[in-house]
Amino acid sequence: MFIDEATIVVRSGDGGDGCVSFRREKFESRGGPDGGSGGKGGDVYLRVNESINTLTYFNRQRHFVAGDGGHGKGRNRKGEDGEDVYVDVPPGTVVRDAATGEVIRDMVEPGETFRVVEGGRGGRGNSVFKSSTRQSPGFAELGEPGEERTLNLELKLIADVGLLGKPNAGKSTLLASVSAAKPKIAAYPFTTLGPLLGVVEVDTRTFVMADIPGLIEGAHQGVGLGLEFLRHVERTRLLIHLLDGASPDPAEDYKEIQQEIALYSQDLAEKEQIVVLNKMDLPEAREKHPRLEKELPVEKVYAISAVTTEGVQELMRAVADRLEQIPEKEPEEEEEMFVFRPHEEGEDKTAQVQKLGPGVYRLSGEEIERLAVMTDWSNRQAMERFERIMRARGISSQLKEAGVQVGDTVIIDDIELEWH
């Protein structure tokens, strides 16, 4: 089965909690703080694996979760970092954020890796918070939670040449005659239900050719197998437009397909094509060839029989020659949406206050949300540290100016606090 679309859920690991510990030695039951920091949560990466050519695997597994970071320990021992997870995808996979539909990455090169979710930072142990004014800090940070993201994967085959044509034009027969590919061949439409790649060798030159499901009227709207076809044709450098010599009107078939392509994408319509009339083993095809060369707006219409291989070698040489003149296509410059979790020193310290209703306020901002989620609210000293940071950043004053009163609720991320 060929699968060219899939949806997966990825989740990075939580950061480990920092440790509250004090050095205990002989004659010194409570020495200085020595609690270690928690380990970082594992990341989730996508990785291009050229030995894979479908997204079928994601029918069986859709969730990928990285390891959590270990908790810090006494004697300043840091927790272990969580294990990263690598999800292998085939070359040509376009990754989109399911929530927004935005393209995150177009993954083309073998071995290419891309981090899609970053693990949470480990909480700092109490030894980090020791200072001249605070000799025995009795608190540590909690680990930062990982994040979860739903991704849509879309496979666009990477081939040098795409076979373009109506169902039953003979695309599968042509591919089978020039490569080691073994497509299913029969005398009815849509024998080819999924794309098939074949490597063609001509005079020591090689290129990849794709047999893709046939195109019919309304394909740009998803009729038949249209959108699946057009998605894969987009990446090719050159198209072989194969016309059925047994069709009542090959010229009209040519116009219909050109129209469908133009309605789907103007860039695709402008892609270079070699026009070929197939089934020259039939008398009616031989009769149509001279007339077809005059009717179509192309310099030459190649005449072949994919069954007897008449004219096929000449066609493949022409394709190889044309490919040498067409530069390799660079991956499109998509707007990439990178996972970005700034370090503390570069973090945005501004905060916004929003009144949600009588006595209810929401506080948002990169630094304050991170601090809130990593604060151990069961620890009095940790709460006092949070309050000091609020005052130092001027956030407490912002809340007062917005009208907050004793007893009001202040919401930070998913945490609800009572103002006092």
Side-chain angles (χ1 to χ4, degrees), residues 190-261:
F190 298 126
T191 304
T192 303
L193 297 179
L196 185 67
L197 296 179
V199 178
V200 181
E201 184 172 356
V202 185
D203 304 331
T204 71
R205 295 175 292 178
T206 60
F207 57 85
V208 178
M209 190 158 71
D211 171 24
I212 306 171
L215 201 58
I216 63 174
E217 187 176 356
H220 71 284
Q221 297 174 325
V223 176
L225 301 174
L227 292 180
E228 286 81 356
F229 171 96
L230 292 165
R231 178 187 304 126
H232 295 298
V233 169
E234 281 184 301
R235 283 201 193 274
T236 58
R237 296 160 57 203
L238 177 67
L239 298 175
I240 294 178
H241 193 148
L242 200 64
L243 299 173
D244 186 353
S247 168
D249 192 349
E252 184 61 29
D253 293 345
Y254 173 86
K255 293 175 185 175
E256 286 181 10
I257 289 179
Q258 290 297 108
Q259 183 178 10
E260 287 302 320
I261 291 174

Side-chain angles (χ1 to χ4, degrees), residues 13-181:
D14 297 338
D17 295 342
C19 174
V20 177
S21 173
F22 293 90
R23 191 174 68 254
R24 286 174 173 78
E25 299 175 358
K26 192 175 182 180
F27 307 120
E28 189 175 11
S29 60
R30 189 177 176 85
D34 68 351
S37 298
K40 176 184 175 300
D43 303 331
V44 179
Y45 293 84
L46 296 184
R47 177 175 58 191
V48 176
N49 185 337
E50 58 184 329
S51 66
I52 302 174
N53 56 17
T54 80
L55 299 173
T56 307
Y57 172 73
F58 300 110
N59 273 350
R60 301 189 299 274
Q61 183 170 352
R62 295 181 182 272
H63 290 80
F64 300 88
V65 181
D68 293 336
H71 299 321
K73 299 177 182 179
R75 300 182 182 176
N76 289 310
R77 287 175 293 176
K78 179 180 178 295
E80 292 186 1
D81 291 341
E83 186 175 354
D84 295 335
V85 167
Y86 288 83
V87 181
D88 286 341
V89 298
T93 300
V94 177
V95 186
R96 297 180 186 274
D97 185 277
T100 64
E102 291 182 79
V103 172
I104 302 172
R105 188 82 165 193
D106 188 356
M107 306 197 69
V108 176
E109 296 298 327
E112 176 184 353
T113 60
F114 177 69
R115 184 175 62 195
V116 285
V117 282
E118 183 179 358
R121 283 178 290 194
R124 291 175 292 181
N126 69 330
S127 63
V128 175
F129 299 104
K130 180 182 178 181
S131 67
S132 58
T133 57
R134 187 170 53 218
Q135 294 291 318
S136 302
F139 65 93
E141 286 180 328
L142 302 178
E144 183 181 23
E147 58 179 334
E148 185 173 287
R149 199 172 190 182
T150 302
L151 304 174
N152 291 332
L153 308 181
E154 178 183 304
L155 177 60
K156 295 182 180 180
L157 285 180
I158 300 176
D160 299 301
V161 181
L163 291 171
L164 183 68
K166 284 200 164 186
N168 249 21
K171 300 184 297 297
S172 297
T173 305
L174 176 59
L175 183 66
S177 70
V178 297
S179 75

